[in-house]
Amino acid sequence: MKVGIIGATGYGGLELLRFLHNHKEVEDIALFTSSEEGTIFSAKFPHLTDLYNQPLQKIDYDALAKFDVVFASTPSGVSSNLFPRLVGTGPKLIDLSGDFRLKDVASYEAWYKKAAAPGEVIQQSVYGLTEWNEQAIGQAELIANPGCYPTAVLLSLLPLIKSNLIDPSFLVIDAKSGISGAGNKPSQLTHFSEANENFSIYKINEHQHIPEIEQAISMFAHVDTKITFNTHLVPMTRGILTTSYAQVRTGVTQQQLVNCLKETYANHPFVRVIEEASSIGTNRVKGSNYCDISVKLDERTNRATIIGVIDNLVKGAAGQAIQNMNVQFGLPQKTGLDLIPYFI
Amino acid sequence: MKVGIIGATGYGGLELLRFLHNHKEVEDIALFTSSEEGTIFSAKFPHLTDLYNQPLQKIDYDALAKFDVVFASTPSGVSSNLFPRLVGTGPKLIDLSGDFRLKDVASYEAWYKKAAAPGEVIQQSVYGLTEWNEQAIGQAELIANPGCYPTAVLLSLLPLIKSNLIDPSFLVIDAKSGISGAGNKPSQLTHFSEANENFSIYKINEHQHIPEIEQAISMFAHVDTKITFNTHLVPMTRGILTTSYAQVRTGVTQQQLVNCLKETYANHPFVRVIEEASSIGTNRVKGSNYCDISVKLDERTNRATIIGVIDNLVKGAAGQAIQNMNVQFGLPQKTGLDLIPYFI
Amino acid sequence: MKVGIIGATGYGGLELLRFLHNHKEVEDIALFTSSEEGTIFSAKFPHLTDLYNQPLQKIDYDALAKFDVVFASTPSGVSSNLFPRLVGTGPKLIDLSGDFRLKDVASYEAWYKKAAAPGEVIQQSVYGLTEWNEQAIGQAELIANPGCYPTAVLLSLLPLIKSNLIDPSFLVIDAKSGISGAGNKPSQLTHFSEANENFSIYKINEHQHIPEIEQAISMFAHVDTKITFNTHLVPMTRGILTTSYAQVRTGVTQQQLVNCLKETYANHPFVRVIEEASSIGTNRVKGSNYCDISVKLDERTNRATIIGVIDNLVKGAAGQAIQNMNVQFGLPQKTGLDLIPYFI
Amino acid sequence: MKVGIIGATGYGGLELLRFLHNHKEVEDIALFTSSEEGTIFSAKFPHLTDLYNQPLQKIDYDALAKFDVVFASTPSGVSSNLFPRLVGTGPKLIDLSGDFRLKDVASYEAWYKKAAAPGEVIQQSVYGLTEWNEQAIGQAELIANPGCYPTAVLLSLLPLIKSNLIDPSFLVIDAKSGISGAGNKPSQLTHFSEANENFSIYKINEHQHIPEIEQAISMFAHVDTKITFNTHLVPMTRGILTTSYAQVRTGVTQQQLVNCLKETYANHPFVRVIEEASSIGTNRVKGSNYCDISVKLDERTNRATIIGVIDNLVKGAAGQAIQNMNVQFGLPQKTGLDLIPYFI
């Protein structure tokens, strides 16, 4: 397979490369950029010395049409312009940004404060939450890869909502992310001396992943609800942990909650259900494509605490994108992704 | 004033010393220990070289009776034995542990899994949430200094509950703390290589601060409720941020919520109400006795996000303890505590 | 005393404020800026909410002339223009940048790659290494406050060189700094995700503190030597540790080395000689004006390892500047600086 | 290949597993322990859930004799007892501890303060610095895998010493390591709140890697010298950077120094020579088996700064061990080790 990456200089692009490098079906990886044509990749990223010494290429639609798959790992507002020109030209397209996730154009423009992609292209795109949309992904030409937060939230919540074990009318989702989620562009917020030793809440009630989560709950669990969702920055590089809260339907037991999760993901290699844990942390999935989920019923209040843990750059971005590519090409999902988490 | 610190080798004890060192009414600070008698304090803690070269003293009740104030900054289950022997002997007593906080002995024993202090001593102790209990603190002999999490939670939530602006029946409180909250005793959980670059949830629905928060809501806002409360470890040393969620009473506006906070704390120097912020982090209070609070109404859901930020070792422990000492002795609350946060 | 700070928005400026706030002789602090006139200081730095809500002022030489002391905490190349206009107008002037440190204008221009300050103003400035230049500082109008690295290096090395206990002809100085030394301006180098979990060497053999250290060795120890000096970035915010290496003169013992340090600093409150330590870290001085130094003779090689530890923003910048101000005004050196290190 | 790991619960053992898991010639990995027999591996290390759910096995010499290769990743003083019983029974033996590195038994006992392994077993062991000892490694039964610091130091210094481009008589080596080098056992030194935001020097002039480096310089460059070597702890988990200093032979140029390094490692896939860099950090090799090295001549002093960077757990331990295993079994060195560094 010949693979092209647009936006290779972002953290999502670098992670795509890290996994595709060891993907046995991938023969050729081409690196495209809109702004740094000619830059020697390993000069910009010294960890790639001797490995990727080629220059970054200018985006060339004719060239891209000859690839088997093209990933776009670009800021929002970029692939909405690029990908419509590639649709129908040949390659499978996988977009890691939010540009094709929201089916409602008005919602995209309200939350992203940008012009949306053409509606008809959005409609033909498939939401790439692999475990919940495998069949459609297998047939898709254009995949909208899920956001990092939605991946952890949805994988942990969807089974319980769909099975009607929890009350979806008052869902509180408190999400925390490592700082790599903010991308590679320096800013005061991500300046080491101010981000280090600082835990902060940001975009209070205004994160653009809110409509994405609500749309997916509607799509996969057939429930319309308005969630409460907040996001926090953790002084670490990688990792997302989401803590969600919901009232449990009367009479539902801890075991039923756990069983629901286990049954849902029995045949899915990247979702691990944690049955019993006094402590669950992001280091258990670091660098890997796993999503670890857990649920704990508080009998005192009859509310459940539902936990999702991912590496935001892997299952929350590049890893899931490759998982989707595997599904599109009929490969086992673990191809190129069977890496043990770093842990430390 | 002559001040004694029992448990000077813990982080709470060290912070007491850091502030008392510059407290203009404090003339003498004596350091007591139950287990390290004779250890030169600065040999154990090299940052105190030349400053506190004295040996740690064995606990001596006769000696302690001659102090003006005695702080206990010891693990739970210690001051419940020590302080009853000092009650009535002269000094003001301020306990930084949980041993005198819960009025209900059975609740203490259920949550702490330890024998409680004598009931009659517990009853005469006063809960030291300074801004809400100033008058009783001023007359108290024995103060139960609040827990770190409860301080941030209560200061941010109590005004809104008491004013009936939010519905207290479904309060979700998601709390995050730096690792110094786990104390100075090494363990696998706090081993650098496993705590670093790892964000984790712990004691899921089982934290002993739950009954403390519920008791204080009942005491100060006259509402009985069962909260949902979870705690997380952030890979940083200092700081707590609590994110609380509640349904807002119909028709209540953002401005009413903010005004409620501002009016409540108009004359309280250590609580700052943040009116407008896109991002609120723990570095704004680091090293200081401030508690910064904020509220944001999400009109989409009619739910409020309520934020509290403290330094867990200062307003969440040693700082509030000294603030209470100041109240007990009729000193201005800022005496010895008027330090600018480090920020970086 | 009325104090003005030019460059209050930098980390050096913020630290000046943190200490001056509790300096009992300081009545008024005015904050000046060249680029952010009118900005409410606490809006930019939320940790100062309620404390410094005033707007930043435009630099006004007539106004500054009425202050008792003016600090410039600006990038190199700024105070070289500002301070010559203030010389002789009244206030004591303390420059935290490198603009007045090097007596040799050509050397400044070679290492800093900028135009130097007027030579005659440079000549009348006094190098503010307090412990070694107290008398001149006491009479100085314009003080060139030492660089962060030179402070740790010189305080630890000068006594041994001056006493001829070590051979100054082959001095290797390996220096490590927290990232706050890079200032508050975001860059790729200080972007959290790339600075975190990364230890790096930078400006290899090219740091502008090299000529400053050599000049001071010549000035205070009367030895001309060319040092080898390299600098590294540590993924933490504050702190400098310098490890220096030199051959020891034949026959010199460990005790002589230690005694030399102890005698030199016997009456200097901010330099602490560590006699015996298995481990020496930056946390022992964090947030304080202390410089801890130590020396260890390796009898196997007859070489000494000499260690200096400071908080780069305090003894390496703002703290030493205030120490110098105290000397200029005949105040005890510890005034406003008698704070216990944070340790954690 | 059937592989056994003794000491699988240490960080070295976990890293062996991380790489062996994807090693295409390895069919079976068995995990042995001296103290935790029966513990389910994934219960102890939750990142291995679903991957390694087997119980830890008791050490059984008969069983081990049937393996193709046995790694010992144990504290010093353990394999000196275990491995002599396995010598000659069949498997290739690779020891990651220091027990077989020093040929001089007295030296081992002086520096390690422990009883040494039997002298005759030490003599038949081969020092596993792959790039310098490949032929002997290929024929070895028992390999003493190099220490983490020596690997970075030797790979960067040996070519320059052997070629007589630098003067080996006064080598200063200043080494810095992430905290994972201290292993997985909690202690005050590695307690998060005290290790975080703290850069420290430890074991001043007393590190047990000193004789290992000197022995290897003698062995491979045929020079006897006494080095000056110090070690520091960096508040990060992974990574070593060593900064070495030496006088350069008269007339030697920067280009000669670089060429020497490049020629030495022209055919070695894991050593990358960095020709031009303003900044070199540990993140460029993180998680990978690369050792990046660089040299810079300071013409002002005619001294060279020589830099080595590795991941202490990979090229400094588990990665190099597997590289050695590959050599022993005639496999390409990169087998199982061709992973892109994480970078972030």
Side-chain angles (χ1 to χ4, degrees):
Chain A
M1 285 164 59
K2 274 171 66 89
V3 177
I5 301 175
I6 301 175
T9 60
Y11 294 154
L14 289 174
E15 284 291 280
L16 283 170
L17 191 60
R18 189 165 73 86
F19 287 102
L20 291 171
H21 180 73
N22 293 109
H23 192 292
K24 66 180 179 178
E25 304 297 334
V26 172
E27 275 176 13
D28 187 41
I29 305 171
L31 307 170
F32 295 92
T33 176
S34 55
S35 58
E36 303 186 68
E37 185 190 350
T39 297
I40 300 297
F41 205 51
S42 60
K44 186 171 173 74
F45 294 111
H47 68 293
L48 299 172
T49 301
D50 289 3
L51 292 165
Y52 290 90
N53 290 339
Q54 67 257 52
L56 288 165
Q57 302 175 44
K58 189 179 165 184
I59 296 171
D60 172 341
Y61 294 95
D62 293 335
L64 283 165
K66 293 175 191 139
F67 283 81
D68 296 292
V69 56
V70 177
F71 294 94
S73 181
T74 46
S76 58
V78 175
S79 57
S80 57
N81 287 305
L82 294 176
F83 267 10
R85 299 183 56 172
L86 287 169
V87 168
T89 66
K92 300 285 189 184
L93 304 171
I94 303 178
D95 181 36
L96 278 74
S97 84
D99 281 6
F100 297 96
R101 292 182 200 146
L102 299 185
K103 295 298 181 190
D104 178 355
V105 164
S107 176
Y108 178 90
E109 299 193 338
W111 288 91
Y112 282 82
K113 305 188 195 320
K114 284 187 176 145
E120 66 279 10
V121 184
I122 292 176
Q123 291 316 315
Q124 78 180 87
S125 78
V126 167
Y127 189 65
L129 188 68
T130 326
E131 284 75 10
W132 285 81
N133 218 13
E134 196 174 335
Q135 197 172 358
I137 291 165
Q139 299 163 354
E141 179 184 359
L142 169 56
I143 289 174
N145 209 55
C148 51
Y149 290 121
T151 297
V153 168
L154 293 168
L155 291 176
S156 56
L157 281 181
L158 280 176
L160 305 174
I161 299 174
K162 192 177 179 192
S163 305
N164 195 28
L165 295 176
I166 60 174
D167 174 1
S169 68
F170 190 171
L171 284 174
V172 170
I173 303 165
D174 192 278
K176 302 89 175 173
S177 174
I179 293 174
S180 62
N184 69 348
K185 202 169 165 188
S187 72
Q188 211 67 42
L189 193 71
T190 58
H191 188 53
F192 183 88
S193 299
E194 298 178 28
N196 183 40
E197 295 293 291
N198 185 24
F199 180 87
S200 61
I201 185 170
Y202 70 104
K203 289 196 185 180
I204 306 168
N205 296 319
E206 293 179 353
H207 201 288
Q208 69 277 10
H209 286 167
I210 291 172
E212 180 180 342
I213 295 169
E214 290 177 351
Q215 172 183 283
I217 291 175
S218 174
M219 192 186 304
F220 299 118
H222 312 296
V223 166
D224 290 323
T225 184
K226 285 190 175 151
I227 61 169
T228 289
F229 175 74
N230 271 305
T231 50
H232 304 76
L233 275 187
V234 184
M236 64 183 187
T237 300
R238 289 167 180 262
I240 279 178
L241 186 148
T242 61
T243 318
S244 302
Y245 301 93
Q247 202 75 37
V248 169
R249 298 295 186 196
T250 309
V252 169
T253 65
Q254 166 72 13
Q255 199 55 52
Q256 280 177 278
L257 295 169
V258 170
N259 288 349
C260 170
L261 298 182
K262 297 191 80 163
E263 286 157 17
T264 304
Y265 296 113
N267 298 311
H268 293 277
F270 288 120
V271 181
R272 303 187 295 196
V273 180
I274 310 306
E275 271 200 75
E276 201 54 62
S278 59
S279 166
I280 296 176
T282 56
N283 65 355
R284 54 163 61 225
V285 298
K286 192 162 51 168
S288 82
N289 199 48
Y290 289 105
C291 175
D292 280 10
I293 60 175
S294 191
V295 60
K296 192 150 185 183
L297 173 61
D298 179 18
E299 297 186 349
R300 226 177 55 93
T301 58
N302 209 38
R303 294 175 206 141
T305 302
I306 305 122
I307 300 152
V309 186
I310 60 169
D311 184 319
N312 57 308
L313 296 176
V314 189
K315 183 62 175 170
Q320 186 160 229
I322 293 170
Q323 189 183 358
N324 285 328
M325 179 189 81
N326 288 340
V327 172
Q328 286 178 303
F329 288 85
L331 301 169
Q333 286 191 21
K334 294 192 89 169
T335 313
L337 296 169
D338 184 22
L339 297 185
I340 292 188
Y342 315 159
F343 179 52
I344 67 163
Chain B
M1 286 163 59
K2 274 172 66 90
V3 177
I5 302 175
I6 301 174
T9 61
Y11 294 155
L14 289 174
E15 283 289 280
L16 283 170
L17 191 60
R18 189 166 72 85
F19 287 102
L20 291 171
H21 180 73
N22 294 110
H23 193 292
K24 65 180 180 178
E25 304 296 334
V26 172
E27 275 175 15
D28 188 42
I29 305 171
L31 308 170
F32 295 92
T33 177
S34 55
S35 58
E36 301 185 70
E37 185 190 349
T39 298
I40 300 297
F41 204 51
S42 59
K44 186 172 173 72
F45 295 110
H47 68 293
L48 298 173
T49 301
D50 290 2
L51 292 165
Y52 289 89
N53 291 338
Q54 67 257 50
L56 288 164
Q57 301 176 43
K58 189 178 165 185
I59 294 170
D60 172 340
Y61 294 96
D62 293 335
L64 283 166
K66 293 176 192 139
F67 282 81
D68 295 292
V69 55
V70 176
F71 294 94
S73 180
T74 45
S76 57
V78 175
S79 56
S80 58
N81 287 305
L82 293 178
F83 266 11
R85 298 183 55 174
L86 286 169
V87 169
T89 66
K92 299 286 187 182
L93 304 172
I94 303 178
D95 181 36
L96 278 75
S97 86
D99 282 7
F100 296 97
R101 293 183 200 147
L102 299 185
K103 295 299 181 190
D104 178 354
V105 163
S107 176
Y108 178 91
E109 300 192 337
W111 288 90
Y112 282 81
K113 305 189 196 320
K114 285 188 175 143
E120 65 279 11
V121 185
I122 291 175
Q123 291 316 317
Q124 77 180 89
S125 77
V126 168
Y127 189 64
L129 187 67
T130 325
E131 285 75 10
W132 286 80
N133 218 12
E134 197 175 333
Q135 197 172 358
I137 291 165
Q139 298 163 358
E141 180 182 1
L142 169 55
I143 289 174
N145 209 55
C148 51
Y149 290 121
T151 297
V153 168
L154 293 168
L155 290 176
S156 56
L157 281 181
L158 279 177
L160 304 174
I161 300 174
K162 192 178 178 193
S163 306
N164 196 30
L165 296 176
I166 60 174
D167 175 0
S169 68
F170 189 170
L171 284 174
V172 170
I173 302 165
D174 192 277
K176 303 89 175 173
S177 175
I179 295 175
S180 62
N184 69 347
K185 202 169 166 188
S187 72
Q188 212 66 41
L189 191 71
T190 58
H191 188 51
F192 183 88
S193 298
E194 298 178 27
N196 184 40
E197 294 294 290
N198 185 24
F199 180 87
S200 61
I201 186 171
Y202 70 103
K203 289 196 185 178
I204 306 169
N205 297 318
E206 293 179 351
H207 201 286
Q208 70 277 9
H209 287 168
I210 292 173
E212 181 180 339
I213 294 169
E214 291 178 350
Q215 172 184 284
I217 291 174
S218 174
M219 191 186 305
F220 299 118
H222 312 297
V223 166
D224 289 324
T225 184
K226 284 188 175 155
I227 61 168
T228 289
F229 175 75
N230 271 305
T231 50
H232 304 76
L233 274 187
V234 184
M236 63 183 187
T237 301
R238 289 167 181 261
I240 280 178
L241 186 148
T242 61
T243 318
S244 302
Y245 301 93
Q247 201 76 36
V248 169
R249 297 295 187 196
T250 311
V252 169
T253 65
Q254 167 71 14
Q255 198 55 53
Q256 279 178 278
L257 295 168
V258 171
N259 287 349
C260 169
L261 298 182
K262 295 191 79 162
E263 286 158 16
T264 304
Y265 296 113
N267 298 310
H268 292 277
F270 287 119
V271 181
R272 301 188 295 195
V273 180
I274 310 306
E275 269 200 77
E276 201 54 61
S278 58
S279 166
I280 297 176
T282 55
N283 65 356
R284 54 163 61 227
V285 298
K286 190 161 53 166
S288 82
N289 199 48
Y290 289 103
C291 176
D292 280 10
I293 60 175
S294 191
V295 60
K296 192 151 183 182
L297 173 61
D298 178 17
E299 296 185 350
R300 227 176 55 93
T301 58
N302 209 36
R303 294 174 206 140
T305 303
I306 304 121
I307 300 152
V309 186
I310 59 169
D311 184 320
N312 57 307
L313 295 177
V314 189
K315 184 63 177 169
Q320 187 160 227
I322 293 170
Q323 188 182 358
N324 285 329
M325 178 189 82
N326 288 340
V327 172
Q328 285 177 304
F329 287 85
L331 301 170
Q333 286 190 22
K334 293 191 90 168
T335 313
L337 295 169
D338 184 22
L339 297 185
I340 291 187
Y342 314 160
F343 179 52
I344 67 163
Chain C
M1 284 164 61
K2 273 170 69 86
V3 177
I5 302 175
I6 301 174
T9 60
Y11 294 155
L14 289 174
E15 283 291 279
L16 282 170
L17 191 61
R18 189 166 72 85
F19 287 102
L20 292 171
H21 180 73
N22 293 109
H23 193 292
K24 65 179 181 179
E25 305 296 334
V26 172
E27 276 176 13
D28 187 41
I29 305 171
L31 308 170
F32 295 92
T33 177
S34 55
S35 58
E36 302 186 69
E37 186 191 347
T39 299
I40 299 297
F41 205 51
S42 59
K44 186 172 173 73
F45 294 111
H47 67 293
L48 298 173
T49 301
D50 289 2
L51 292 166
Y52 290 88
N53 290 339
Q54 67 256 52
L56 288 165
Q57 302 176 43
K58 189 178 164 186
I59 296 171
D60 172 340
Y61 294 96
D62 293 334
L64 284 165
K66 293 176 191 137
F67 283 81
D68 295 293
V69 55
V70 177
F71 295 94
S73 180
T74 46
S76 57
V78 175
S79 56
S80 58
N81 287 305
L82 293 177
F83 266 11
R85 297 183 57 172
L86 286 169
V87 168
T89 66
K92 299 286 188 183
L93 304 172
I94 303 177
D95 181 36
L96 279 73
S97 86
D99 281 7
F100 297 95
R101 292 182 201 147
L102 299 185
K103 295 298 181 190
D104 178 355
V105 163
S107 176
Y108 177 90
E109 299 192 338
W111 288 90
Y112 283 81
K113 304 188 197 319
K114 284 187 176 144
E120 66 278 11
V121 184
I122 292 175
Q123 292 315 317
Q124 77 181 87
S125 78
V126 168
Y127 188 65
L129 188 67
T130 325
E131 284 76 10
W132 286 80
N133 218 12
E134 195 175 335
Q135 197 172 357
I137 291 165
Q139 298 162 358
E141 180 183 0
L142 169 55
I143 289 174
N145 210 56
C148 51
Y149 290 120
T151 297
V153 169
L154 292 168
L155 290 176
S156 57
L157 280 181
L158 279 177
L160 304 174
I161 300 174
K162 191 177 179 193
S163 305
N164 196 29
L165 296 176
I166 60 174
D167 175 0
S169 69
F170 191 171
L171 284 173
V172 170
I173 302 164
D174 193 277
K176 302 89 175 175
S177 175
I179 294 174
S180 62
N184 70 347
K185 202 170 166 187
S187 72
Q188 211 67 42
L189 192 71
T190 58
H191 188 51
F192 183 87
S193 298
E194 299 178 28
N196 183 40
E197 295 294 290
N198 185 24
F199 181 87
S200 61
I201 186 169
Y202 70 103
K203 289 196 185 179
I204 307 168
N205 297 318
E206 293 179 353
H207 200 287
Q208 69 276 12
H209 286 168
I210 291 172
E212 180 180 340
I213 294 169
E214 291 178 351
Q215 172 183 284
I217 291 174
S218 174
M219 192 186 305
F220 298 118
H222 312 296
V223 166
D224 290 323
T225 185
K226 284 187 176 155
I227 61 169
T228 290
F229 175 75
N230 271 304
T231 50
H232 304 76
L233 276 187
V234 184
M236 63 182 187
T237 301
R238 290 167 180 261
I240 280 177
L241 187 148
T242 61
T243 318
S244 303
Y245 301 93
Q247 202 75 38
V248 168
R249 299 294 187 196
T250 311
V252 168
T253 64
Q254 167 71 15
Q255 198 55 54
Q256 281 177 277
L257 295 169
V258 171
N259 288 348
C260 171
L261 297 182
K262 298 192 78 163
E263 286 157 16
T264 304
Y265 297 113
N267 298 310
H268 292 276
F270 288 118
V271 181
R272 303 188 293 195
V273 180
I274 310 305
E275 269 200 77
E276 201 55 61
S278 58
S279 167
I280 296 175
T282 55
N283 64 356
R284 55 164 59 228
V285 298
K286 191 162 51 167
S288 82
N289 199 48
Y290 288 104
C291 175
D292 280 10
I293 61 176
S294 191
V295 60
K296 192 149 184 185
L297 173 61
D298 178 17
E299 296 186 350
R300 227 177 55 94
T301 58
N302 208 38
R303 294 173 207 143
T305 303
I306 304 120
I307 300 152
V309 186
I310 59 169
D311 184 318
N312 57 307
L313 296 177
V314 188
K315 183 63 176 171
Q320 186 160 229
I322 294 170
Q323 190 183 358
N324 284 328
M325 178 190 82
N326 288 340
V327 173
Q328 285 178 304
F329 288 85
L331 302 170
Q333 287 190 22
K334 295 192 89 168
T335 312
L337 295 169
D338 184 23
L339 297 185
I340 291 187
Y342 313 160
F343 179 51
I344 66 163
Chain D
M1 286 164 57
K2 274 172 65 89
V3 177
I5 302 175
I6 301 174
T9 60
Y11 294 154
L14 289 174
E15 283 290 280
L16 283 170
L17 191 61
R18 188 165 73 85
F19 288 102
L20 292 171
H21 179 73
N22 294 108
H23 193 291
K24 65 181 180 176
E25 305 295 335
V26 172
E27 277 175 12
D28 187 43
I29 305 171
L31 308 170
F32 296 91
T33 177
S34 55
S35 58
E36 304 184 69
E37 185 190 349
T39 298
I40 299 297
F41 204 49
S42 59
K44 186 172 173 72
F45 295 110
H47 68 293
L48 299 173
T49 300
D50 289 3
L51 292 165
Y52 290 89
N53 290 338
Q54 67 257 52
L56 288 164
Q57 302 175 43
K58 189 178 165 186
I59 295 170
D60 172 340
Y61 294 96
D62 293 335
L64 283 165
K66 293 176 191 136
F67 283 80
D68 295 293
V69 55
V70 177
F71 295 94
S73 181
T74 45
S76 57
V78 175
S79 57
S80 58
N81 286 306
L82 293 177
F83 266 10
R85 299 182 56 173
L86 286 169
V87 168
T89 66
K92 299 285 188 184
L93 304 171
I94 303 178
D95 181 36
L96 279 74
S97 86
D99 281 7
F100 297 96
R101 292 182 199 147
L102 299 184
K103 295 298 182 190
D104 179 354
V105 163
S107 176
Y108 178 90
E109 300 192 336
W111 288 91
Y112 283 81
K113 304 188 196 321
K114 284 185 176 147
E120 65 279 10
V121 184
I122 292 175
Q123 291 315 316
Q124 78 180 87
S125 78
V126 168
Y127 189 64
L129 187 68
T130 325
E131 285 75 10
W132 285 81
N133 218 13
E134 196 174 334
Q135 197 172 358
I137 290 165
Q139 300 164 355
E141 180 184 0
L142 168 56
I143 289 174
N145 210 56
C148 51
Y149 290 120
T151 297
V153 168
L154 293 168
L155 290 176
S156 56
L157 281 181
L158 279 176
L160 305 174
I161 300 174
K162 193 178 178 192
S163 306
N164 195 30
L165 297 176
I166 60 174
D167 175 1
S169 69
F170 190 171
L171 284 174
V172 170
I173 302 165
D174 193 277
K176 302 88 176 174
S177 175
I179 294 174
S180 62
N184 69 348
K185 201 170 166 187
S187 72
Q188 211 67 42
L189 192 70
T190 58
H191 188 52
F192 184 87
S193 299
E194 298 178 29
N196 183 41
E197 295 293 292
N198 185 24
F199 181 88
S200 62
I201 185 169
Y202 70 103
K203 287 196 186 180
I204 306 169
N205 297 318
E206 292 179 352
H207 200 286
Q208 69 276 10
H209 287 168
I210 291 172
E212 181 180 342
I213 294 169
E214 291 178 350
Q215 172 183 284
I217 291 174
S218 175
M219 192 186 305
F220 298 118
H222 312 296
V223 166
D224 290 324
T225 185
K226 284 186 176 154
I227 61 168
T228 289
F229 176 74
N230 271 305
T231 50
H232 305 76
L233 275 187
V234 184
M236 63 184 188
T237 301
R238 288 167 181 261
I240 279 178
L241 186 148
T242 61
T243 318
S244 301
Y245 301 92
Q247 202 75 38
V248 169
R249 298 295 188 195
T250 310
V252 169
T253 64
Q254 167 71 14
Q255 198 55 53
Q256 281 178 278
L257 296 169
V258 171
N259 288 349
C260 170
L261 297 182
K262 296 192 82 163
E263 286 157 17
T264 304
Y265 297 113
N267 298 309
H268 292 277
F270 288 120
V271 181
R272 303 188 294 196
V273 180
I274 310 305
E275 269 200 76
E276 203 53 61
S278 58
S279 167
I280 297 175
T282 55
N283 65 355
R284 54 164 59 228
V285 298
K286 192 162 50 166
S288 83
N289 199 48
Y290 289 104
C291 175
D292 280 10
I293 60 176
S294 191
V295 60
K296 190 148 185 185
L297 173 61
D298 178 17
E299 296 186 349
R300 228 176 55 94
T301 59
N302 209 37
R303 293 173 206 142
T305 303
I306 305 121
I307 300 152
V309 185
I310 59 169
D311 184 320
N312 57 307
L313 295 176
V314 189
K315 184 62 177 170
Q320 187 159 230
I322 293 169
Q323 189 182 359
N324 285 328
M325 177 190 83
N326 288 340
V327 172
Q328 286 178 303
F329 287 85
L331 302 169
Q333 287 190 23
K334 292 192 91 167
T335 314
L337 295 169
D338 184 21
L339 297 185
I340 291 188
Y342 316 159
F343 179 52
I344 66 164

